[in-house]
């Protein structure tokens, strides 16, 4: 693959932190812990496997504000959606969350320790502003806006992650590739150009036509990315 990862470097935190995995596992037993929501679990997986490169953790307030205002991280890298770890006031109090606190982040399905976050800051978002800036309107008919107002907790914590292990999956195992695995797969197949279509539901005819035309125009292979 000739294209560089977004941001220049693929941030595979699981691979990076593999040499200290046992130490992180032991530390996770002794520090405050946070059970993730399903949404947070998905975000964590994409941060730690490099899907959200160049992020190495959940966004600090500076990055969050820059993304909302400029569609870029503070360093200027294009990034259009805030990636946040939300916590409640009771979480902040009970876990003693403050800058420098290390918290074990656990899988809500099996309680496995997946990563440790070192808190850099705690901030309270303006959810109306976030809805307008990120989704175009503060309209609860939009599923993401409804989730923001009804499910997301009152505070965000930002900070870098150290990965312990990826979440365990039992469905579609043969179709789950990390970014690094996909790049290796493309290389094995000698795919030099790839047109990717990211879909949240089965493709309809217009989606198919758009993807096929793009692939033909660029003489590329096709990746369907659900």
């Amino acid at each position: 693959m000739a294209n560089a990862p977004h941001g220049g470097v693929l941030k595979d935190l699981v691979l990076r932190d593999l040499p200290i995995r046992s130490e992180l596992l032991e530390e996770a037993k002794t520090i405050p812990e946070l059970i993730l929501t399903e949404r947070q679990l998905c975000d964590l997986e994409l941060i730690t496997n490099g899907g959200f490169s160049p992020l190495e953790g959940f966004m600090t307030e500076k990055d969050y504000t820059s993304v909302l205002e400029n569609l870029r991280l503070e360093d200027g890298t294009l990034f259009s959606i805030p990636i946040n770890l939300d916590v409640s006031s009771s979480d902040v109090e009970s876990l003693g969350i403050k800058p420098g606190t290390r918290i074990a982040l656990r899988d809500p399905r099996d309680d496995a320790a997946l990563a440790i976050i070192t808190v850099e800051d705690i901030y309270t978002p303006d959810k109306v502003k976030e809805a307008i800036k990120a989704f175009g309107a503060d309209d609860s008919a939009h599923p993401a806006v409804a989730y923001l107002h009804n499910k997301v907790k009152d505070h965000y914590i930002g900070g870098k992650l150290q990965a312990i292990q990826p979440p365990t999956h039992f469905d579609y195992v043969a179709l789950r590739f990390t970014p690094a695995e996909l790049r290796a797969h493309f290389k094995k197949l000698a795919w030099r150009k790839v047109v990717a279509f990211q879909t949240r539901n089965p493709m309809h005819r217009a989606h198919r036509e758009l993807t096929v035309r793009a692939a033909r125009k660029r003489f590329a292979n096709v990746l369907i990315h659900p």
Side-chain angles (χ1 to χ4, degrees):
M1 292 292 291
N3 289 352
H6 186 59
V9 178
L10 182 61
K11 302 288 188 175
D12 187 337
L13 307 189
V14 175
L15 180 62
R16 181 198 69 186
D17 297 332
L18 186 60
I20 58 170
R21 180 177 182 270
S22 58
E23 290 92 330
L24 293 172
L25 266 174
E26 287 303 311
E27 183 184 0
K29 298 175 184 177
T30 66
I31 59 178
E33 61 184 36
L34 185 68
I35 304 298
L36 300 172
T37 65
E38 290 186 4
R39 168 68 175 273
Q40 293 168 344
L41 178 67
C42 293
D43 286 344
L44 178 84
E45 181 171 15
L46 288 170
I47 294 171
T48 56
N49 73 13
F52 281 160
S53 287
L55 297 187
E56 294 184 55
F58 289 96
M59 288 183 180
T60 62
E61 186 172 16
K62 288 182 179 179
D63 276 331
Y64 167 78
T65 301
S66 183
V67 166
L68 291 185
E69 296 293 344
N70 307 308
L71 301 180
R72 295 179 182 275
L73 300 173
E74 190 187 21
D75 67 6
T77 304
L78 186 68
F79 214 100
S80 59
I81 294 290
I83 306 299
N84 308 115
L85 181 58
D86 58 299
V87 294
S88 66
S89 296
S90 61
D91 289 331
V92 173
E93 183 177 351
S94 63
L95 300 179
I97 299 175
K98 61 183 183 298
T101 302
R102 285 172 65 77
I103 303 170
L105 304 179
R106 294 187 175 273
D107 193 317
R109 303 165 303 165
D110 59 10
D111 204 38
L114 302 178
I116 294 175
I117 184 171
T118 301
V119 177
E120 293 182 36
D121 61 3
I122 310 165
Y123 54 103
T124 303
D126 180 338
K127 293 183 181 180
V128 172
K129 178 180 178 180
E130 181 177 332
I132 294 170
K133 291 287 188 178
F135 307 115
D138 185 30
D139 183 356
S140 291
H142 190 301
V145 175
Y147 184 91
L148 176 64
H149 285 306
N150 300 321
K151 300 289 187 180
V152 173
K153 302 180 184 77
D154 291 335
H155 309 288
Y156 293 163
I157 58 176
K160 291 211 167 67
L161 296 171
Q162 289 176 292
I164 297 174
Q165 60 188 330
T168 300
H169 296 289
F170 299 98
D171 56 343
Y172 306 106
V173 174
L175 298 176
R176 291 182 182 271
F177 291 87
T178 68
E181 288 169 343
L182 265 183
R183 284 175 169 267
H185 191 59
F186 295 154
K187 184 176 181 180
K188 180 179 180 181
L189 296 175
W191 286 12
R192 297 194 175 191
K193 295 181 180 179
V194 179
V195 168
F197 183 87
Q198 181 155 345
T199 177
R200 62 181 177 82
N201 50 264
M203 295 175 71
H204 55 63
R205 288 187 178 182
H207 288 155
R208 180 190 179 280
E209 187 66 20
L210 175 70
T211 306
V212 169
R213 286 190 183 190
R216 286 174 177 166
K217 184 176 180 180
R218 295 296 179 181
F219 301 99
N221 298 98
V222 176
L223 168 68
I224 306 300
H225 189 262

